[in-house]
Amino acid sequence: MGKKKAKVTAKTPSSETSIKMIQSILRKRLAQMSSPPEIQGYTKERQQLFDLLKRTTVSGESNSVLLIGPRGSGKTMLLKSVLSELREDENINQNLLQVHLNGLLQTDDRIALKEITRQLQLENTVGDRVFGSFSETLQFLLDALKKGSSQSSKPILFVLDEFDLFAHHRNQTLLYNLFDVSQSAQTPICVVGVTCRLDVIELLEKRVKSRFSHRQIHLFNTHGFFDYSQVCMSYLSLTPGELDETVTEPWNTHIQELVSEPSVRDVLQRQFNLNKDVRGLIALLTHPICKLSPTHPVLEAGDFLDSFKKLTTDTKSAMLHGVSILELCLIISMKHLMDIYDGEPFNFEMVYSEYLKFAQRKSSMQVYEKPVVLKAFEHLITLEFIRALDGSGSRVQKEYKLMSLLIHPSQIVDALQKYPNCPTEVKQWAGNSVV
Amino acid sequence: MPVECEGYSWGHDPADLENLRKRTPCRSSQIETLLQLFGEAAHYTPPALFVYGHTATGKSCIVNGILTSLKLPHVSVNCVECYNSRFLYEHILNNLPSSDTNTRCDNMNDFVRLLQQGVRESQLQDQTVYIVLDKAERLRDMEANILPSFLRLQELTNTNVCTIMLSEIVWEKFRFGTGFSEPYLLHFPDYSKNELLEIMSLDAPAGYPAALYGNYINLIMSVFHLVCRDLKELRHLASLNFNKYIEPIEKEEATVNDFRKLWKNIEPHLKKALQTIYLREISSSQWEKLQQEQDSASLNPIPASRSHVELPYYSKYLLMAAYLASYNPVKSDRRFFVKHTAKTPTKPQTAKARKHERASNHLLGPKPFPPGPTPGYILLHCGRQGCPNCNHILPDYLPCQPSPPWASSR
């Protein structure tokens, strides 16, 4: 092992500074702050979006479009790369105004409107006139937008992230007005909605829907495993311009060897089967990349395995590992109750009598009194392993409140096997429900 | 086996790290992982970390410990305190290093803008700013946009911000709606029994040999470990009962090495503690006072006073009547409470009925009862025996809320 590592270290020039540089570049990619190396598989969609935006910016045509795709499928990234390509054109770069809104931030139309005025740098104009009401500001903005014509005025690009949240605003005023402006030939605006809901059109009101162009671009993760491993490779390897040639070259060859290693491919394949999107890949790569340091200068297959193991641990089983024996006994009683009564809800008294049946007859363990057991039961409630059926209705005493178990029997069995120093009688009791 | 890159300090002072490791034993691999994820001050950190684990497994202690001892810019918030989203925003903004203390902010949009501005003003652009949200499960009860926005704060503010959430509840229970960008999950496993012993023996009192305290801790664990794995609770119990443990030594009835004698002395005491102090039936100060008064054998645990209520005469019977009515089926009323009834159910019927019955009412809980004859009967019977002239104040049919006895004529 040590010999092999020494060989690998010798191959890569691991001076401390170069490792640090590599790491900061890779970390920046992980955080998605720098644009990722290349886009996979969206050439058609990209062309479509590019043409659309170009028409708006160059010939003053108004448009509206929706980018639809699951989370982590690269919607924002596609838009970013298209915009950066557009901005390479000096003329467009100077003319195009951009307004970025996010459904999470602008939770109602008033805030959204303020944000629009801020991003269009109209605050000064608006500031003097002291806008009391929402409608006045809107009126002013709309007037400003409508006065323009498709030839003379600057085009504006509206990007609405989390578009489906905008559809929950009252009366959908903002959407209506934006689409209205884009329909009637006034100031050229392009409304790009980004969302992950496929049924987003159904959320729109009729008057809004009729003004929307129904142009949708779907981004689905249609790539196969080969593309996936290519993406992985491109996330890990350095692009030629970024660092010195002497650093880049050995690093990239090392990465290539690493990704083609069977154990790494196996991990990637399993992650791919779980989750096709890039976010899943990033989660897998996070820990290996963060682990890079002068004392650990290269990525190893073991890092990937560890990381995958960490990603796929069952969180509930992990939490079950830490409950006390008494709480474990209670969980087993609940499992038995669910078995016997076909998943009917139970209350504390039933669990306690089931526990007593076991503790008094079958085991040599100490039998705890009711209040002590009740405390354990309440701890299980705070961990949300069990939940009251009717919310927090306080009308029934806590002993008689109906509860349901939120752990799957297989998780209990799994946890029992890993449980440290589990008494044998508890294990046997868990096995057969008839006492 | 030491972790391979434990020596690497990520540009921080190794002495600080060493101190931290000493202060928090049994958590070196978690500290290591966190340090790796944080990286150097200028490095980008994953946008959101979600740290989960049981009560008292060192989540807040270690995360805050790392951030303070390495002097990384951070704001820690307890979500229980910030029951309102506005308090949450303002707390974070006002506690950024070198910021003025009365920023007003009441929506997410302003928060993101002001945070960006605050980071720029306090010259932190080239450092990761950490926001620690303790008891993050409370975020679920706030507005729906808060949790997703905090998870994407790095992207939204376009600055190097990392949100760390601490919770006892697993991440699966946080998801809702169309989902959001997932944080990086980090599990703090529970302490094993040996680790608990190691940690608890850290606060051994001076003046006694370490072996004595170690032995004492072992005794505490043997009584409480089956029931409770909460380090805080165990430490509390250990500190409360230690005086009792060393009492024989103080009185010179036993020596430091008389483990058996000491065990005999403390065991009933600890068993009692499980039923009283562990359940907070009596408070810690009461417990200590009782220990000083030396009569912990005659110690009457307080529950007596808790379940003892003085009631007026008829209220007592009303309460008894209501109890009988709510835990007995209506059809047995006649049999139990009317003196002469001819009808008694035949045996095969009862057996059949019992088969269908799922459990007794004491398992299922009290049933509602109509203001029917049952309470009346009981009250009547008891009344006749207890109080000779109550016939005229109690009708044989009693409504649920009787008029008070003093309302009618004597």
Side-chain angles (χ1 to χ4, degrees):
Chain A
M1 177 70 195
K3 202 176 165 191
K4 193 179 162 195
K5 195 181 289 166
K7 212 174 88 190
V8 177
T9 333
K11 239 194 285 178
T12 46
S14 60
S15 69
E16 201 163 327
T17 45
S18 71
I19 283 292
K20 276 184 183 170
M21 303 268 267
I22 290 174
Q23 205 189 21
S24 73
I25 289 171
L26 292 184
R27 270 176 185 264
K28 211 167 178 185
R29 271 188 210 155
L30 279 188
Q32 299 191 305
M33 297 303 272
S34 63
S35 53
E38 54 190 289
I39 305 169
Q40 296 284 331
Y42 292 139
T43 33
K44 216 179 84 200
E45 286 86 352
R46 188 172 193 283
Q47 195 55 42
Q48 205 180 344
L49 189 63
F50 183 79
D51 291 345
L52 197 74
L53 293 186
K54 183 132 194 182
R55 281 208 297 278
T56 306
T57 47
V58 175
S59 57
E61 184 184 310
S62 287
N63 272 314
S64 48
V65 65
L66 273 179
L67 291 179
I68 302 178
R71 293 213 176 258
S73 59
K75 306 175 289 288
T76 313
M77 173 213 57
L78 185 74
L79 192 63
K80 259 189 200 167
S81 95
V82 166
L83 281 178
S84 69
E85 191 180 328
L86 269 178
R87 249 185 267 126
E88 279 167 17
D89 187 337
E90 191 56 38
N91 201 13
I92 293 175
N93 193 15
Q94 278 178 358
N95 270 327
L96 181 66
L97 295 173
Q98 290 182 31
V99 178
H100 289 269
L101 301 179
N102 192 318
L104 292 173
L105 303 184
Q106 286 83 38
T107 42
D108 60 36
D109 284 344
R110 184 185 303 271
I111 301 172
L113 213 59
K114 252 189 200 165
E115 190 61 30
I116 293 173
T117 45
R118 184 176 297 127
Q119 291 194 17
L120 290 176
Q121 288 163 338
L122 290 171
E123 276 165 311
N124 293 336
T125 349
V126 175
D128 297 342
R129 298 177 43 175
V130 190
F131 287 101
S133 69
F134 170 73
S135 58
E136 266 178 89
T137 329
L138 185 65
Q139 199 62 45
F140 168 78
L141 251 177
L142 288 180
D143 283 347
L145 289 177
K146 279 175 185 164
K147 257 183 224 156
S149 65
S150 55
Q151 272 75 43
S152 60
S153 44
K154 281 187 174 183
I156 307 178
L157 170 69
F158 282 93
V159 179
L160 305 182
D161 214 341
E162 306 282 350
F163 183 80
D164 47 314
L165 295 181
F166 284 101
H168 292 308
H169 291 184
R170 240 184 73 134
N171 293 336
Q172 307 184 340
T173 322
L174 183 76
L175 293 184
Y176 173 77
N177 284 306
L178 284 180
F179 285 142
D180 194 39
V181 171
S182 82
Q183 278 297 315
S184 46
Q186 292 152 350
T187 307
I189 71 169
C190 183
V191 183
V192 182
V194 181
T195 181
C196 60
R197 280 188 71 157
L198 285 176
D199 62 343
V200 68
I201 294 293
E202 306 301 315
L203 296 175
L204 298 177
E205 281 174 23
K206 203 175 166 197
R207 61 193 181 118
V208 182
K209 207 196 285 184
S210 68
R211 280 165 174 78
F212 170 59
S213 69
H214 288 269
R215 195 182 279 112
Q216 300 179 9
I217 299 179
H218 289 279
L219 302 175
F220 295 130
N221 293 312
T222 46
H223 53 262
F225 177 65
F226 178 74
D227 290 331
Y228 190 72
S229 53
Q230 287 301 311
V231 173
C232 174
M233 191 110 80
S234 67
Y235 256 98
L236 287 175
S237 47
L238 301 169
T239 43
E242 277 173 321
L243 279 180
D244 203 344
E245 187 82 355
T246 51
V247 181
T248 311
E249 202 129 303
W251 175 263
N252 284 351
T253 45
H254 162 66
I255 290 297
Q256 243 163 21
E257 277 170 20
L258 185 76
V259 175
S260 55
E261 240 176 77
S263 59
V264 175
R265 287 192 75 81
D266 183 45
V267 168
L268 280 178
Q269 179 75 55
R270 276 151 78 187
Q271 175 69 19
F272 178 73
N273 291 344
L274 283 179
N275 192 349
K276 266 174 115 177
D277 64 28
V278 181
R279 291 249 176 89
L281 180 67
I282 286 178
L284 180 71
L285 296 183
T286 301
H287 197 227
I289 287 183
C290 289
K291 221 174 165 184
L292 278 181
S293 69
T295 48
H296 181 92
V298 284
L299 294 176
E300 284 166 26
D303 298 345
F304 283 80
L305 277 173
D306 283 350
S307 172
F308 182 72
K309 208 184 276 170
K310 265 185 199 156
L311 275 189
T312 50
T313 44
D314 181 18
T315 50
K316 250 184 212 164
S317 300
M319 286 299 275
L320 267 181
H321 186 273
V323 298
S324 67
I325 301 262
L326 179 61
E327 283 154 5
L328 194 68
C329 287
L330 289 186
I331 289 175
I332 295 172
S333 328
M334 290 171 204
K335 179 184 164 239
H336 288 346
L337 282 174
M338 298 291 265
D339 283 349
I340 296 168
Y341 297 114
D342 275 342
E344 295 253 316
F346 51 83
N347 62 25
F348 170 71
E349 291 289 331
M350 295 180 206
V351 176
Y352 184 61
S353 78
E354 192 73 23
Y355 163 74
L356 278 188
K357 265 191 224 164
F358 162 69
Q360 285 174 343
R361 292 182 206 163
K362 278 253 179 160
S363 81
S364 53
M365 273 170 34
Q366 191 187 348
V367 181
Y368 291 102
E369 286 175 25
K370 207 178 230 178
V372 178
V373 180
L374 187 59
K375 190 168 172 175
F377 190 75
E378 280 176 343
H379 186 227
L380 291 179
I381 297 177
T382 53
L383 290 175
E384 298 194 7
F385 284 160
I386 46 180
R387 191 187 52 200
L389 273 190
D390 54 339
S392 54
S394 55
R395 301 204 314 170
V396 191
Q397 296 135 283
K398 53 190 170 187
E399 288 95 340
Y400 296 117
K401 210 177 266 178
L402 288 178
M403 314 291 274
S404 59
L405 182 63
L406 302 180
I407 313 172
H408 195 265
S410 69
Q411 284 172 321
I412 299 176
V413 173
D414 189 34
L416 266 172
Q417 271 162 3
K418 287 181 197 153
Y419 198 84
N421 306 328
C422 182
T424 332
E425 48 204 23
V426 173
K427 266 188 190 167
Q428 280 169 351
W429 176 46
N432 54 340
S433 60
V434 185
V435 179
Chain B
M1 193 195 90
V3 185
E4 190 190 315
C5 43
E6 191 158 86
Y8 194 64
S9 61
W10 299 101
H12 302 298
D13 188 1
D16 285 342
L17 285 179
E18 200 45 50
N19 261 336
L20 186 72
R21 289 205 179 94
K22 252 182 217 150
R23 260 188 295 139
T24 50
C26 311
R27 277 289 171 254
S28 59
S29 82
Q30 277 75 28
I31 294 179
E32 201 53 45
T33 316
L34 277 174
L35 282 178
Q36 282 167 355
L37 288 173
F38 289 174
E40 283 172 30
H43 278 161
Y44 271 92
T45 312
L49 300 177
F50 181 79
V51 180
Y52 66 103
H54 279 278
T55 326
T57 44
K59 302 182 295 292
S60 322
C61 169
I62 288 193
V63 168
N64 287 325
I66 291 178
L67 293 175
T68 38
S69 64
L70 301 183
K71 298 181 193 65
L72 299 169
H74 71 280
V75 185
S76 49
V77 196
N78 192 328
C79 295
V80 178
E81 287 169 22
C82 304
Y83 57 90
N84 189 329
S85 55
R86 184 204 173 119
F87 296 149
L88 181 66
Y89 302 143
E90 288 181 359
H91 182 97
I92 295 175
L93 292 172
N94 293 337
N95 284 295
L96 280 177
S98 74
S99 67
D100 55 341
T101 50
N102 42 18
T103 322
R104 301 185 63 77
C105 167
D106 55 3
N107 58 49
M108 199 70 201
N109 191 32
D110 289 346
F111 172 71
V112 166
R113 192 167 47 83
L114 291 171
L115 184 68
Q116 225 168 340
Q117 199 180 322
V119 168
R120 212 178 313 124
E121 274 169 13
S122 40
Q123 305 295 319
L124 295 170
Q125 292 105 314
D126 50 355
Q127 271 179 303
T128 315
V129 178
Y130 297 90
I131 297 175
V132 185
L133 301 169
D134 208 341
K135 301 254 182 290
E137 61 265 17
R138 295 297 180 110
L139 288 179
R140 297 180 300 176
D141 306 335
M142 294 191 195
E143 286 102 283
N145 71 321
I146 290 183
L147 187 57
S149 324
F150 268 107
L151 288 171
R152 300 175 68 176
L153 208 53
Q154 199 169 62
E155 184 189 328
L156 293 173
T157 56
N158 209 12
T159 40
N160 193 355
V161 182
C162 171
T163 315
I164 304 175
M165 301 198 287
L166 312 175
S167 178
E168 279 178 45
I169 294 176
V170 296
W171 174 247
E172 280 84 347
K173 313 228 168 206
F174 282 72
R175 296 199 183 109
F176 68 91
T178 52
F180 25 74
S181 59
E182 301 274 301
Y184 190 77
L185 303 187
L186 214 60
H187 182 223
F188 272 48
D190 50 300
Y191 293 114
S192 70
K193 198 169 179 178
N194 288 335
E195 286 171 337
L196 282 175
L197 286 176
E198 189 186 331
I199 296 168
M200 281 170 73
S201 59
L202 282 187
D203 39 34
Y208 294 97
L212 177 78
Y213 194 74
N215 200 46
Y216 169 64
I217 298 288
N218 255 321
L219 295 184
I220 289 270
M221 293 290 275
S222 69
V223 175
F224 289 104
H225 189 248
L226 283 183
V227 178
C228 171
R229 304 221 159 164
D230 188 344
L231 179 64
K232 271 184 215 156
E233 186 83 52
L234 288 171
R235 278 170 86 169
H236 178 64
L237 288 167
S239 72
L240 275 184
N241 294 310
F242 187 63
N243 283 339
K244 180 75 186 173
Y245 182 68
I246 53 166
E247 209 175 61
I249 302 174
E250 305 267 280
K251 284 191 200 156
E252 296 178 347
E253 288 165 359
T255 61
V256 175
N257 294 322
D258 264 346
F259 288 149
R260 205 178 154 70
K261 198 162 190 183
L262 290 172
W263 162 240
K264 278 268 186 281
N265 174 46
I266 194 76
E267 195 206 359
H269 192 73
L270 289 182
K271 287 262 163 72
K272 192 148 277 167
L274 180 67
Q275 289 151 24
T276 50
I277 189 79
Y278 174 66
L279 299 171
R280 307 289 187 276
E281 296 277 2
I282 64 174
S283 70
S284 320
S285 57
Q286 273 176 307
W287 181 253
E288 277 176 336
K289 210 187 281 171
L290 285 172
Q291 273 180 355
Q292 279 164 10
E293 283 166 10
Q294 283 301 308
D295 56 348
S296 64
S298 67
L299 176 148
N300 238 346
I302 307 304
S305 75
R306 254 193 5 172
S307 56
H308 189 80
V309 185
E310 272 300 329
L311 283 178
Y313 185 78
Y314 284 120
S315 307
K316 262 183 226 168
Y317 286 110
L318 261 183
L319 200 61
M320 273 161 59
Y323 173 77
L324 288 172
S326 49
Y327 284 97
N328 283 309
V330 184
K331 55 184 178 185
S332 64
D333 280 358
R334 262 193 114 60
R335 197 148 53 88
F336 291 158
F337 302 115
V338 179
K339 253 184 185 170
H340 307 290
T341 42
K343 257 189 172 178
T344 42
T346 52
K347 261 189 183 165
Q349 267 180 336
T350 39
K352 206 176 174 186
R354 211 166 279 153
K355 209 176 180 186
H356 285 291
E357 212 173 18
R358 177 175 155 170
S360 81
N361 273 338
H362 276 98
L363 282 189
L364 294 173
K367 292 270 176 299
F369 59 92
T374 318
Y377 277 130
I378 297 161
L379 211 50
L380 203 61
H381 282 278
C382 306
R384 278 207 186 107
Q385 285 158 15
C387 168
N389 59 350
C390 65
N391 277 348
H392 62 282
I393 48 169
L394 289 172
D396 35 306
Y397 176 85
L398 190 83
C400 211
Q401 284 184 322
S403 54
W406 59 86
S408 56
S409 61
R410 298 183 75 239

